[in-house]
Amino acid sequence: MNCNQYLHHLTNLLGGRLDPDWRQEFEEHERGCERCARTASAAHHAITALRSTPRIGASPQFKDRVMEQIRTMEDETRPARGRTWRMAGIAAAACLLLAMAGLINLAGDSPGLTAFGTLARAAEVMSGVNSVRITARMSTRPYENFEWIGAHCEPIPLEIWTEPGAQPRWRIEKEGRIVVMDGEQIIGWIKPPSNLAYRAQPEAGVVSWLRPLLDPGQLLQAELERARQDGSTLLLERLSDPVGRPLLAVSVVANAKGDYSQSDYARNSSIIESDHSRLYIFDAASGRLEQMRVMIETAAGPVTVFEISAIEYNQPFEDNIFALELPADVNWALAPEALPADPILAARTPEQVARDFFEACNKEDWDRVSILFSETSISQPIRQHLGELEIISLGKPFKSGLYPGWFVPYEIRFRGGETKKWNLAVRNDNPAGRWIVDGGI
């Protein structure tokens, strides 16, 4: 018995329908496979919690009642919002989202039907998929990295092309940024005005939480591991779309990761740094993923920040999809260890690094700025934007969330007279121990 077969039979075991002829082989595999044993343990614990959760039945007044409950929780907990109430608000909003989308046949689960079983079946079905194209919308900025989200941002289109397999290839693209993995290396490009390109190894985390979508067959394993490590909650509902086609929805409710003891600045700047729910909707007949939505909890209530609108399977792609044509004048990001040694810079504090950077911009010392940015050169639009800026003030550096560096509060005045207050991100967690300016400008 292999792992996929084990997961298939685990579904039957959890539903009390495991064929006795398979039990001995099932138990032998579990004893010899640590990963499957952990999966079974996590599944049993999650199902116990799920079965103790009251089931929801929709009624004509469902939407109004949920909205009233959300408003009540907001009023009762506004002075000090605890984590339990935040997560309850997300769960309620997830149900509301389903109802508003027309998925209103919220009956209880059939006997033996579980969130783990649904994901197991989906993983098995999609493990044989040759290609996937995903069309989605994400609340972010065009030029930000693919991890960054902003609840206040208008959703913008995002597309994913992927060919899973032994030598996977993929491409992720939005208006201001493209990243491609051609089977051997990752190449990314931030479009002008930055006009910056970078290279990375295939295993690099440059696409962060989107990575599981690049191989839908790994969806179950990724979610089970998150549930085991993060203590997230999995909920399952049997649904139907507006024309009566049966669907299955698995909702994963998770807490924000990261340290916010010094500041909440990085909270809700990425999915994993947010209290959030991930909603997967599968076709009940085929087991394939059809939709995905991610909602984060904000002070104003739950906000949808990512939504898949269409998924196409097993469509042929042209090879040029996984190639990236770069302009001749592109700037390249450099590995910090490839830069000249600078003992003085290495000994700087975060505040001193921020001051060095802003003073170099003021003097239009673009060689120095490129070293601090870890780039081959600085594009002309960036030079025009940052040249001759003046420092009004620098604040005390702080840490927040999962960011491995520091945020330095600043206020600056540009050459045109306009001012800006924000936080400069600086870090030195690279093998060379060099300080670099990582964002926030």
Side-chain angles (χ1 to χ4, degrees):
M1 178 179 291
N2 60 33
C3 292
N4 280 339
Q5 291 171 327
Y6 175 87
L7 293 174
H8 172 74
H9 290 294
L10 178 60
T11 306
N12 293 330
L13 176 69
L14 295 172
R17 295 178 284 105
L18 180 62
D19 189 326
D21 294 339
W22 284 102
R23 183 170 292 278
Q24 181 177 352
E25 191 172 349
F26 179 90
E27 292 174 349
E28 288 177 356
H29 178 85
E30 185 175 276
R31 286 193 293 268
C33 180
E34 182 180 354
R35 184 177 68 173
C36 285
R38 291 199 309 267
T39 296
S41 177
H44 282 292
H45 283 95
I47 295 307
T48 299
L50 182 61
R51 286 174 176 165
S52 66
T53 303
R55 308 312 296 166
I56 301 172
S59 70
Q61 295 79 36
F62 179 71
K63 174 183 173 182
D64 292 337
R65 288 190 289 107
V66 172
M67 287 301 297
E68 182 60 31
Q69 179 66 17
I70 291 174
R71 285 192 290 268
T72 299
M73 288 190 293
E74 289 286 330
D75 291 339
E76 293 176 351
T77 63
R78 186 168 285 111
R81 293 173 58 82
R83 182 172 303 278
T84 300
W85 285 107
R86 283 201 301 270
M87 302 317 295
I90 292 176
C95 295
L96 175 63
L97 182 61
L98 288 172
M100 295 179 67
L103 307 176
I104 57 175
N105 184 22
L106 295 179
D109 297 343
S110 298
L113 186 63
T114 68
F116 283 89
T118 300
L119 291 174
R121 180 183 178 227
E124 185 175 4
V125 167
M126 293 189 290
S127 64
V129 168
N130 297 319
S131 70
V132 184
R133 181 177 180 179
I134 295 173
T135 303
R137 294 180 66 82
M138 182 173 173
S139 297
T140 185
R141 297 191 186 106
Y143 301 98
E144 286 283 358
N145 60 60
F146 288 102
E147 181 175 12
W148 190 86
I149 58 170
H152 58 285
C153 294
E154 287 294 322
I156 63 174
L158 180 142
E159 290 194 85
I160 300 173
W161 296 259
T162 177
E163 290 181 349
Q167 192 173 22
R169 302 190 297 174
W170 47 262
R171 178 188 185 104
I172 304 178
E173 181 171 354
K174 59 180 178 176
E175 180 182 337
R177 200 173 184 116
I178 305 172
V179 61
V180 169
M181 213 286 278
D182 61 8
E184 297 181 357
Q185 67 174 339
I186 292 172
I187 300 179
W189 180 39
I190 308 171
K191 297 180 182 181
S194 292
N195 196 25
L196 178 68
Y198 56 90
R199 292 188 176 93
Q201 294 300 308
E203 64 274 9
V206 296
V207 294
S208 185
W209 67 277
L210 290 173
R211 182 171 286 274
L213 291 176
L214 300 175
D215 188 349
Q218 298 299 315
L219 188 62
L220 170 66
Q221 289 83 348
E223 287 297 4
L224 285 178
E225 190 64 20
R226 288 192 188 100
R228 186 181 69 83
Q229 293 181 354
D230 305 344
S232 53
T233 301
L234 277 66
L235 304 172
L236 176 69
E237 293 290 350
R238 178 182 287 279
L239 315 169
S240 61
D241 68 10
V243 298
R245 186 169 56 99
L247 303 170
L248 295 173
V250 175
S251 182
V252 184
V253 183
N255 295 328
K257 297 180 68 174
D259 181 2
Y260 303 94
S261 59
Q262 295 185 27
S263 172
D264 264 358
Y265 174 69
R267 187 182 291 277
N268 291 349
S269 62
S270 70
I271 297 299
I272 59 176
E273 291 173 300
S274 308
D275 291 334
H276 71 278
S277 65
R278 302 183 293 274
L279 176 67
Y280 301 96
I281 299 179
F282 301 94
D283 178 79
S286 69
R288 286 183 175 178
L289 179 67
E290 290 203 347
Q291 299 178 50
M292 178 186 174
R293 298 167 193 165
V294 179
M295 290 179 294
I296 66 170
E297 173 67 7
T298 72
V303 175
T304 298
V305 294
F306 179 81
E307 183 170 9
I308 291 176
S309 57
I311 304 181
E312 300 176 61
Y313 294 101
N314 296 326
Q315 298 297 313
F317 298 145
E318 298 291 339
D319 284 342
N320 61 11
I321 285 290
F322 305 109
L324 188 55
E325 293 187 12
L326 299 170
D329 62 344
V330 71
N331 302 319
W332 283 94
L334 298 173
E337 54 267 31
L339 295 169
D342 191 338
I344 296 177
L345 176 60
R348 292 281 201 248
T349 65
E351 184 177 352
Q352 289 171 331
V353 173
R355 186 173 297 278
D356 283 351
F357 172 73
F358 288 130
E359 288 181 348
C361 292
N362 171 265
K363 298 173 182 177
E364 298 189 293
D365 183 352
W366 303 118
D367 289 339
R368 184 65 170 169
V369 173
S370 66
I371 287 175
L372 289 165
F373 263 153
S374 194
E375 299 177 9
T376 54
S377 63
I378 304 300
S379 68
Q380 190 58 41
I382 299 299
R383 294 185 185 202
Q384 180 63 31
H385 178 58
L386 299 181
E388 300 182 357
L389 65 77
E390 298 177 15
I391 301 174
I392 298 175
S393 65
L394 293 177
K396 180 181 178 181
F398 63 89
K399 285 182 170 289
S400 183
L402 296 172
Y403 185 63
W406 296 80
F407 297 102
V408 184
Y410 68 82
E411 184 176 5
I412 56 176
R413 180 181 294 108
F414 296 101
R415 73 170 97 217
E418 66 274 23
T419 63
K420 180 177 182 177
K421 286 185 177 182
W422 203 239
N423 299 294
L424 194 71
V426 298
R427 61 194 294 178
N428 67 341
D429 59 322
N430 52 76
R434 290 185 60 100
W435 284 103
I436 62 172
V437 174
D438 197 36
I441 186 66

